[in-house]
Amino acid sequence: MGRMQFCHVLLSVFALCQAQVVFSEVVSRAPAAIQLHQIFEDSWNEDMRQSPVWASMLGDRRYNDQWQDLSKAAFVQRAEQTKGMLKRLESIDLERLSEADRVNFELFFQAYSERAAAAEHPTHLMPISQRGGIQTLDETGDRLGLQSVQDFEDWLARLEQIDVLMDQTIDLMTQGIEQGYVPPKITMERVPAQIEKQLVAQATDSLFYKPFKQMPAAMAAPDQVRLQQAAESVIAAKVRPAYEKLYAFFNETYLPACRADIGASSLPNGRAYYESRVRAFTTTDMTPEDVHQIGLTEVARIRAEMTAVMNDVEFKGSLTAFFEFLRNDPQFYFTDPKDLLQAYQATAKQIDPTLVQLFTKLPRMPYGIQVIPEAVAPDTTTAYYTRPAADGSRPGYYWVNLYDPSARPKFEIEVLTVHEAVPGHHLQIALQQELEGLPNFRRYSGYTVFTEGWGLYSERLGYDVGLYQDPYSRFGQLSYDMWRAVRLVVDTGMHYKGWTRDEAIAYFVANAPRKKLDIVNEIDRYISWPGQALAYKIGQLKMSELRQRASSALGDGFDLRRFHDRMLENGAIPLSMLEQTMTDWIAAEAQALAD
């Protein structure tokens, strides 16, 4: 789901939203619960303060004129705050908590323990990747939904501070060079072209000026003119010089210092770091070798299903030859980006009315389709999703990549839309944000293994609502399933088993019909984000197992809609908690049927 944004440097999974725990709701709780929820509230507010851009994106405008503080002092303060929260948790009497609050305690404690453990691996010293960083900071303006005069004033205030943020970012990168925390050179070679897009001659051509070209029609003309003139001034005085400084530093100092090796294991204490990433992203005790073997098994299984579809369309040749046919035959591709966009839009409209077949409860928050900005489209993935604002001021967005339509096959449109929009990411995340009675850190955060596992699990739900009628679309669903299975093999291969980038690309090409451009971008994504790609398939396998278990146990009494409602009603949770929840639900449903 999604791309790495600049604020990911320090952002933990437990950020963030505007709403507060209302005191009147707390006073009726037992003292231990009051104490616990005060910790939640204090943590929330501190996270908001430390991650002001993310707060703004969620609708919390308290820090709307600020960037994240990346100074050394701020990092020390965050580490101390983490220790302090863990210390406060020690004082909670678990015996006096309700069952629901014990779950809240467990999840919160786990999150802060992971924060503390992450300090052993200072990967924040690598604040830039080819998929995002300060070089793409302008995208923040697109995501904030600027509407009022104050919104634009706040954006200007942020632009005034870009020079400070740039100095802090360069200082992090310098520390990274000194301590051996630098990214692979092969992926960072993409970044200079991204920085160059910020070095425009005219301020009005700057990507940071874009919001001022699309100001709300209801805004008074004198305000628009004043704000536009102020933007031109600050871009010329602060923004462009900051990026000129970054460009020189990056090319002269940073890029030459980047490492030749691609694997996380080549970082200081790198094997332990990657092992920790595997545990964190899967919420299991699996080792990299465990995951690698699961991947090999899944790849073999899906290849057999792909071969069956190939035979159904009466293709004469090997599966490798079929892949080449799918990659290169013009019938499978649009030539005009507008046609590709319309196909995404039409597919979303087709899916929306079918959701009542899968759920009894649907989110109130809508979603829309947006185009990935041209500045980063060549270097990023096919699509991603961004969540709605917590205050309802902005819907969820399904972002699609229109760069080079010849790399975006028609037969993947249905499965991609299911994953990124509905019943995938938008439905799950919007429902979670609308949950009542949960602490905000649970409503607006989550576990990748659940959110991405759900997205991948949802892809097969297309069969339940009448998608994939065309055999090539069915093959598209299998190709996406294969894509995530391949991830288990190549991610662990590169980061733990010593695979080269070329070996990973070759394995991907041999097992999935994706275009070479997309495959290379995917491999480079895994290189720059160790372990994250493992979450999808591991989560999907568990969810599919639970569905099969429920269906077998309940027979004709199995209600898929109720199963999905129960699976989603706690928000994103670790797999062990999900399994216990659904095991209890199956037992209760079986008892109800028996009665």
PDB file of all heavy atoms in Angstrom, residues 113-128:
ATOM      1  N   SER A 113       8.139  -1.127  23.222  1.00  0.00           N
ATOM      2  CA  SER A 113       9.302  -2.008  23.320  1.00  0.00           C
ATOM      3  C   SER A 113      10.039  -2.056  21.989  1.00  0.00           C
ATOM      4  O   SER A 113      11.279  -2.063  21.936  1.00  0.00           O
ATOM      5  CB  SER A 113       8.869  -3.416  23.729  1.00  0.00           C
ATOM      6  OG  SER A 113       8.292  -3.411  25.017  1.00  0.00           O
ATOM      7  N   GLU A 114       9.275  -2.080  20.891  1.00  0.00           N
ATOM      8  CA  GLU A 114       9.892  -2.080  19.574  1.00  0.00           C
ATOM      9  C   GLU A 114      10.585  -0.752  19.297  1.00  0.00           C
ATOM     10  O   GLU A 114      11.639  -0.713  18.662  1.00  0.00           O
ATOM     11  CB  GLU A 114       8.852  -2.377  18.498  1.00  0.00           C
ATOM     12  CG  GLU A 114       8.380  -3.824  18.509  1.00  0.00           C
ATOM     13  CD  GLU A 114       7.357  -4.114  17.431  1.00  0.00           C
ATOM     14  OE1 GLU A 114       7.038  -3.194  16.642  1.00  0.00           O
ATOM     15  OE2 GLU A 114       6.877  -5.253  17.368  1.00  0.00           O
ATOM     16  N   ARG A 115      10.003   0.338  19.769  1.00  0.00           N
ATOM     17  CA  ARG A 115      10.670   1.636  19.622  1.00  0.00           C
ATOM     18  C   ARG A 115      12.023   1.618  20.324  1.00  0.00           C
ATOM     19  O   ARG A 115      13.024   2.093  19.786  1.00  0.00           O
ATOM     20  CB  ARG A 115       9.822   2.755  20.221  1.00  0.00           C
ATOM     21  CG  ARG A 115       8.584   3.121  19.462  1.00  0.00           C
ATOM     22  CD  ARG A 115       8.017   4.415  20.011  1.00  0.00           C
ATOM     23  NE  ARG A 115       6.700   4.718  19.487  1.00  0.00           N
ATOM     24  CZ  ARG A 115       6.082   5.879  19.626  1.00  0.00           C
ATOM     25  NH1 ARG A 115       6.672   6.857  20.297  1.00  0.00           N
ATOM     26  NH2 ARG A 115       4.887   6.081  19.115  1.00  0.00           N
ATOM     27  N   ALA A 116      12.025   1.104  21.538  1.00  0.00           N
ATOM     28  CA  ALA A 116      13.278   1.062  22.302  1.00  0.00           C
ATOM     29  C   ALA A 116      14.306   0.173  21.610  1.00  0.00           C
ATOM     30  O   ALA A 116      15.492   0.514  21.515  1.00  0.00           O
ATOM     31  CB  ALA A 116      13.001   0.568  23.725  1.00  0.00           C
ATOM     32  N   ALA A 117      13.851  -0.988  21.104  1.00  0.00           N
ATOM     33  CA  ALA A 117      14.770  -1.903  20.440  1.00  0.00           C
ATOM     34  C   ALA A 117      15.312  -1.304  19.148  1.00  0.00           C
ATOM     35  O   ALA A 117      16.472  -1.546  18.767  1.00  0.00           O
ATOM     36  CB  ALA A 117      14.067  -3.227  20.149  1.00  0.00           C
ATOM     37  N   ALA A 118      14.495  -0.509  18.461  1.00  0.00           N
ATOM     38  CA  ALA A 118      14.916   0.079  17.192  1.00  0.00           C
ATOM     39  C   ALA A 118      16.095   1.029  17.365  1.00  0.00           C
ATOM     40  O   ALA A 118      16.869   1.249  16.429  1.00  0.00           O
ATOM     41  CB  ALA A 118      13.746   0.813  16.543  1.00  0.00           C
ATOM     42  N   ALA A 119      16.245   1.577  18.561  1.00  0.00           N
ATOM     43  CA  ALA A 119      17.351   2.499  18.806  1.00  0.00           C
ATOM     44  C   ALA A 119      18.709   1.821  18.664  1.00  0.00           C
ATOM     45  O   ALA A 119      19.730   2.490  18.473  1.00  0.00           O
ATOM     46  CB  ALA A 119      17.210   3.121  20.199  1.00  0.00           C
ATOM     47  N   GLU A 120      18.722   0.488  18.747  1.00  0.00           N
ATOM     48  CA  GLU A 120      19.976  -0.241  18.576  1.00  0.00           C
ATOM     49  C   GLU A 120      20.453  -0.216  17.131  1.00  0.00           C
ATOM     50  O   GLU A 120      21.618  -0.517  16.856  1.00  0.00           O
ATOM     51  CB  GLU A 120      19.794  -1.693  19.030  1.00  0.00           C
ATOM     52  CG  GLU A 120      19.399  -1.846  20.494  1.00  0.00           C
ATOM     53  CD  GLU A 120      19.140  -3.294  20.865  1.00  0.00           C
ATOM     54  OE1 GLU A 120      19.475  -4.181  20.043  1.00  0.00           O
ATOM     55  OE2 GLU A 120      18.594  -3.537  21.958  1.00  0.00           O
ATOM     56  N   HIS A 121      19.574   0.126  16.216  1.00  0.00           N
ATOM     57  CA  HIS A 121      19.903   0.160  14.794  1.00  0.00           C
ATOM     58  C   HIS A 121      19.497   1.535  14.244  1.00  0.00           C
ATOM     59  O   HIS A 121      18.366   1.703  13.777  1.00  0.00           O
ATOM     60  CB  HIS A 121      19.178  -0.948  14.043  1.00  0.00           C
ATOM     61  CG  HIS A 121      19.371  -2.312  14.645  1.00  0.00           C
ATOM     62  ND1 HIS A 121      20.529  -3.037  14.483  1.00  0.00           N
ATOM     63  CD2 HIS A 121      18.544  -3.077  15.418  1.00  0.00           C
ATOM     64  CE1 HIS A 121      20.413  -4.187  15.115  1.00  0.00           C
ATOM     65  NE2 HIS A 121      19.221  -4.235  15.686  1.00  0.00           N
ATOM     66  N   PRO A 122      20.372   2.526  14.284  1.00  0.00           N
ATOM     67  CA  PRO A 122      19.998   3.906  13.933  1.00  0.00           C
ATOM     68  C   PRO A 122      19.826   4.120  12.431  1.00  0.00           C
ATOM     69  O   PRO A 122      20.561   4.886  11.799  1.00  0.00           O
ATOM     70  CB  PRO A 122      21.168   4.722  14.483  1.00  0.00           C
ATOM     71  CG  PRO A 122      22.335   3.799  14.434  1.00  0.00           C
ATOM     72  CD  PRO A 122      21.780   2.434  14.741  1.00  0.00           C
ATOM     73  N   THR A 123      18.837   3.464  11.866  1.00  0.00           N
ATOM     74  CA  THR A 123      18.605   3.600  10.434  1.00  0.00           C
ATOM     75  C   THR A 123      18.014   4.961  10.071  1.00  0.00           C
ATOM     76  O   THR A 123      17.906   5.275   8.880  1.00  0.00           O
ATOM     77  CB  THR A 123      17.671   2.490   9.932  1.00  0.00           C
ATOM     78  OG1 THR A 123      16.472   2.475  10.719  1.00  0.00           O
ATOM     79  CG2 THR A 123      18.358   1.134  10.044  1.00  0.00           C
ATOM     80  N   HIS A 124      17.643   5.767  11.076  1.00  0.00           N
ATOM     81  CA  HIS A 124      17.208   7.133  10.771  1.00  0.00           C
ATOM     82  C   HIS A 124      18.353   7.947  10.186  1.00  0.00           C
ATOM     83  O   HIS A 124      18.113   9.043   9.648  1.00  0.00           O
ATOM     84  CB  HIS A 124      16.670   7.808  12.033  1.00  0.00           C
ATOM     85  CG  HIS A 124      17.699   8.051  13.094  1.00  0.00           C
ATOM     86  ND1 HIS A 124      18.063   7.083  14.001  1.00  0.00           N
ATOM     87  CD2 HIS A 124      18.458   9.138  13.382  1.00  0.00           C
ATOM     88  CE1 HIS A 124      18.989   7.565  14.809  1.00  0.00           C
ATOM     89  NE2 HIS A 124      19.253   8.805  14.447  1.00  0.00           N
ATOM     90  N   LEU A 125      19.573   7.428  10.274  1.00  0.00           N
ATOM     91  CA  LEU A 125      20.711   8.114   9.667  1.00  0.00           C
ATOM     92  C   LEU A 125      20.740   7.928   8.158  1.00  0.00           C
ATOM     93  O   LEU A 125      21.662   8.410   7.490  1.00  0.00           O
ATOM     94  CB  LEU A 125      22.024   7.610  10.288  1.00  0.00           C
ATOM     95  CG  LEU A 125      22.173   7.827  11.802  1.00  0.00           C
ATOM     96  CD1 LEU A 125      23.504   7.306  12.285  1.00  0.00           C
ATOM     97  CD2 LEU A 125      22.006   9.301  12.149  1.00  0.00           C
ATOM     98  N   MET A 126      19.746   7.234   7.624  1.00  0.00           N
ATOM     99  CA  MET A 126      19.563   7.115   6.168  1.00  0.00           C
ATOM    100  C   MET A 126      18.198   7.726   5.811  1.00  0.00           C
ATOM    101  O   MET A 126      17.242   7.008   5.538  1.00  0.00           O
ATOM    102  CB  MET A 126      19.633   5.642   5.742  1.00  0.00           C
ATOM    103  CG  MET A 126      20.951   4.972   6.049  1.00  0.00           C
ATOM    104  SD  MET A 126      21.062   3.248   5.448  1.00  0.00           S
ATOM    105  CE  MET A 126      19.893   2.430   6.556  1.00  0.00           C
ATOM    106  N   PRO A 127      18.063   9.052   5.846  1.00  0.00           N
ATOM    107  CA  PRO A 127      16.754   9.699   5.718  1.00  0.00           C
ATOM    108  C   PRO A 127      16.233   9.833   4.294  1.00  0.00           C
ATOM    109  O   PRO A 127      15.129  10.344   4.093  1.00  0.00           O
ATOM    110  CB  PRO A 127      17.001  11.081   6.325  1.00  0.00           C
ATOM    111  CG  PRO A 127      18.434  11.353   6.011  1.00  0.00           C
ATOM    112  CD  PRO A 127      19.138  10.030   6.126  1.00  0.00           C
ATOM    113  N   ILE A 128      17.000   9.381   3.315  1.00  0.00           N
ATOM    114  CA  ILE A 128      16.597   9.512   1.919  1.00  0.00           C
ATOM    115  C   ILE A 128      16.659   8.147   1.244  1.00  0.00           C
ATOM    116  O   ILE A 128      17.586   7.373   1.474  1.00  0.00           O
ATOM    117  CB  ILE A 128      17.516  10.511   1.167  1.00  0.00           C
ATOM    118  CG1 ILE A 128      17.164  11.946   1.549  1.00  0.00           C
ATOM    119  CG2 ILE A 128      17.415  10.345  -0.339  1.00  0.00           C
ATOM    120  CD1 ILE A 128      18.035  12.986   0.869  1.00  0.00           C
TER     121      ILE A 128
END
